Amino acid sequence: MVEEFRNEPLTDFSKPDNARAYEQALAKVEGMLGKDHAAHIGGSDVTAEAWYESHDPGELDRLIGRFPRLGVEHVDRAVDVADRYFPTWAARPAEERAGYLFEAARLMRERKHEFSAVMTWEAGKNRVEADADTAEAIDFLEFYGREALRYAGKHPITPIPGERNELRYIPLGVGQVIPPWNFPLAILVGMTSAAIVSGNTVVLKPAKETPLIGHWFASLMREVGLPGGVLQFVTGIGSEIGPRQINHPRTRFISFTGSMAVGIRLNEEAARVQDGQIWLKRVVAEMGGKDAIYVDDELHDMDAAVQGTIAAAFGFSGQKCSACSRLILHDAIHDEFVDRLREAAAKLVVTHPSKAECSFGPVISESAGRKVAEYQGIGREEGKLLCGGGRVDGNGHYYEPTIFTGVDSRARLAQDEIFGPVLAVIRAKDYEDGKRIFNDTIYGLTGSIYSSNEDRLDDARRTFHVGNLYLNRKCTGALVGGHPFGGFNMSGTDSKAGGRDYLLLFQQAKSIAEKII
């Protein structure tokens, strides 16, 4: 009997033993960096003539590792292996498929700090953010394993006299899993495990910025005995092999998390029926957001709202699709809130994420840094600089927590997804104006409202148009099972990862009716 799902506890690093254990994991993983790593196809290691490198975004001279720069021919080989193994895997009992996830969760839990340490070195996550990432990955394995068992059970249908009827959920086929770099373990694990536990086979390509943590997960699945034909781990450059992943006629579905621009192109390409293709490809896409926190003039605790805003805007350098990048303040509390916000931002420590005092570290890449710098410049034209606005010293992509006030709701700073530590503060005349500004975006992923007015909270439940709405708390930190995650409009297909609907995206329903003779 499988126990009821419970979220993996986060680590309390204020306890000396926990802090010491993380320091040991950092040292151990650092000693393993700089090596060459193979891709995996059909259970065998695969390399290529060309390689690419992953570097620590907080210390650019630190080589994380080298990875094969696979080509289209490798994608074809991976799809062929996955396609041939699919009937075998689809026929395996749900209990067996879920068992691989449960065992992977057990081992990941034992090595929790080491998985997190990889992300500190490779993705620039401080220990708190990395620990939450690993905990979420464990949650996905545990939750989706249980969900597979539920979907494999008996489903209620209306009885028909003279017939024996049933409804079964069956897998789709070969899927392409294309995860992002910002949650390089949690989202990668969630997308991959949901697909394979549903009976599909998968070609997984990690983000080029974070291949090592993807390699750790793929190796873990080999360790637990997952058959080689189920999960193909291919490394490479998205612009070179991504189109083939999407356009291959044997690709049945694409699971993608990334930017809106790439998601739109992917969706357009996937809609084209290729020669030999006998289905319409299913696309599961999560594409980002321009998330807002609205603070009402009637609220319980202004300091709590300030701290929630700081955490949501600057956690992991603002590199979350759920991050707060618009702060909407009711006119009556605007000035006092801004003063407290400036004081809170001044306490943030920007340094290498391996250091215990780090509030947040670098952005992921040079191109990400250029974008942050560009919007720091745009903000000076569109608003008033409250704090930050520049780089931070160090041999990495470090940028100050930057806040602009007096921003118009239609300004670029308030409309464009920046994906960095830049916050636009917008003044609202009243609650209705705040609601208008909140919804004035092409996105619809997450958002928060801080208010003590129950009528306004009830109105927000109905009219604030986001997939994940939070009341009197920050707009980041969705928990598997408790906060099914996915957004509206240009935020994607509202996939609701970590919820009871998610596995439906990787299955199709088959109705079977037998006449009683």
Side-chain angles (χ1 to χ4, degrees):
M1 184 70 178
V2 179
E3 295 180 357
E4 185 179 356
F5 172 76
R6 290 285 186 271
N7 293 108
E8 179 70 13
L10 301 179
T11 303
D12 182 358
F13 289 109
S14 68
K15 295 182 177 180
D17 287 348
N18 291 341
R20 190 178 308 111
Y22 200 77
E23 295 291 341
Q24 292 171 349
L26 283 170
K28 179 177 180 179
V29 171
E30 186 179 16
M32 301 165 65
L33 300 178
K35 299 178 181 179
D36 290 352
H37 301 277
H40 306 154
I41 298 177
S44 300
D45 289 349
V46 176
T47 59
E49 292 184 4
W51 295 72
Y52 70 97
E53 295 181 347
S54 172
H55 286 262
D56 177 354
E59 179 51 64
L60 300 179
D61 294 333
R62 181 178 288 113
L63 176 66
I64 299 300
R66 296 202 320 153
F67 299 85
R69 190 166 178 166
L70 299 186
V72 169
E73 68 278 11
H74 297 102
V75 172
D76 287 348
R77 177 180 165 191
V79 172
D80 181 62
V81 169
D83 190 42
R84 284 188 283 109
Y85 195 73
F86 168 66
T88 300
W89 182 243
R92 297 284 178 88
E95 291 78 9
E96 179 181 341
R97 298 196 302 257
Y100 291 110
L101 271 59
F102 296 147
E103 178 63 9
R106 185 186 70 80
L107 292 178
M108 190 178 291
R109 190 176 290 112
E110 289 180 356
R111 308 165 192 171
K112 187 176 183 179
H113 290 330
E114 293 175 20
F115 274 87
S116 298
V118 173
M119 290 183 282
T120 292
W121 296 121
E122 183 176 49
K125 292 201 166 195
N126 67 17
R127 60 195 62 192
V128 173
E129 294 284 351
D131 181 72
D133 200 312
T134 303
E136 186 176 11
I138 294 169
D139 282 350
F140 278 134
L141 291 166
E142 295 281 7
F143 185 80
Y144 292 150
R146 288 162 173 78
E147 282 294 283
L149 299 178
R150 181 173 70 86
Y151 274 100
K154 187 175 182 179
H155 296 272
I157 54 176
T158 301
I160 305 296
E163 292 184 354
R164 278 189 291 265
N165 300 331
E166 62 176 309
L167 185 71
R168 296 181 182 179
Y169 287 94
I170 65 173
L172 299 173
V174 178
Q176 305 287 344
V177 174
I178 307 173
W181 52 260
N182 64 329
F183 285 87
L185 183 62
I187 293 181
L188 179 149
V189 169
M191 296 164 73
T192 305
S193 62
I196 63 178
V197 81
S198 299
N200 304 285
T201 53
V202 161
V203 178
L204 165 63
K205 190 200 81 64
K208 72 178 188 301
E209 295 87 354
T210 52
L212 182 59
I213 191 64
H215 183 274
W216 272 49
F217 172 68
S219 298
L220 180 70
M221 297 311 292
R222 295 176 77 177
E223 182 180 346
V224 301
L226 186 73
V230 177
L231 175 59
Q232 321 309 315
F233 179 71
V234 300
T235 56
I237 309 303
S239 60
E240 296 174 358
I241 63 175
R244 184 55 177 168
Q245 290 183 269
I246 297 162
N247 292 324
H248 197 293
R250 297 304 298 172
T251 292
R252 181 61 180 81
F253 65 91
I254 302 109
S255 185
F256 166 80
T257 300
S259 72
M260 181 187 73
V262 174
I264 290 172
R265 291 200 305 271
L266 183 155
N267 194 56
E268 291 172 344
E269 288 298 315
R272 294 195 178 105
V273 177
Q274 307 294 323
D275 289 342
Q277 182 179 323
I278 60 170
W279 45 62
L280 297 178
K281 293 173 182 172
R282 187 174 295 181
V283 174
V284 181
E286 197 272 275
M287 306 191 307
K290 189 65 179 176
D291 311 297
I293 290 177
Y294 167 73
V295 184
D296 197 27
D297 62 327
E298 300 180 38
L299 73 163
H300 296 284
D301 185 340
M302 184 176 289
D303 285 334
V306 168
Q307 291 304 317
T309 300
I310 289 290
F314 300 119
F316 189 41
S317 309
Q319 298 176 116
K320 302 178 183 180
C321 52
S322 58
C324 173
S325 57
R326 296 182 298 147
L327 174 62
I328 306 165
L329 299 177
H330 190 289
D331 181 73
I333 54 94
H334 177 279
D335 294 348
E336 181 181 358
F337 197 98
V338 165
D339 287 342
R340 297 194 193 186
L341 191 68
R342 181 199 295 112
E343 294 174 1
K347 298 176 182 178
L348 296 173
V349 177
V350 183
T351 186
H352 194 279
S354 62
K355 298 180 180 179
E357 67 270 23
C358 175
S359 301
F360 67 86
V363 296
I364 191 65
S365 65
E366 182 179 355
S367 61
R370 286 197 301 268
K371 188 173 184 181
V372 170
E374 176 188 0
Y375 279 91
Q376 287 177 335
I378 291 171
R380 287 180 169 87
E381 299 173 359
E382 296 184 337
K384 179 182 178 182
L385 181 65
L386 181 71
C387 62
R391 292 197 62 157
V392 176
D393 291 340
N395 186 31
H397 310 299
Y398 296 101
Y399 289 83
E400 295 177 314
T402 300
I403 303 174
F404 292 97
T405 60
V407 179
D408 185 83
S409 65
R410 296 304 302 167
R412 288 185 63 187
L413 205 68
Q415 293 293 322
D416 297 352
E417 186 178 35
I418 302 169
F419 228 64
V422 180
L423 176 64
V425 181
I426 307 167
R427 187 188 294 262
K429 294 180 295 184
D430 52 28
Y431 170 76
E432 290 298 325
D433 191 39
K435 176 170 64 175
R436 176 192 63 80
I437 296 168
F438 186 99
N439 289 331
D440 187 18
T441 172
I442 63 174
Y443 297 100
L445 186 52
T446 76
S448 299
I449 172 174
Y450 284 87
S451 179
S452 60
N453 186 309
E454 290 298 330
D455 289 336
R456 291 176 182 175
L457 292 176
D458 187 56
D459 181 77
R461 289 182 175 97
R462 291 182 289 105
T463 63
F464 280 35
H465 195 63
V466 291
N468 287 73
L469 177 65
Y470 301 98
L471 310 182
N472 291 311
R473 55 148 286 182
K474 64 188 178 75
C475 61
T476 57
L479 288 176
V480 172
H483 312 122
F485 190 82
F488 306 150
N489 298 344
M490 284 300 176
S491 287
T493 56
D494 192 33
S495 58
K496 287 296 178 277
R500 289 168 68 88
D501 298 332
Y502 192 65
L503 259 59
L504 278 174
L505 301 172
F506 306 96
Q507 302 178 85
Q508 50 195 349
K510 183 175 184 178
S511 174
I512 303 170
E514 178 186 4
K515 184 178 180 179
I516 299 174
I517 300 175

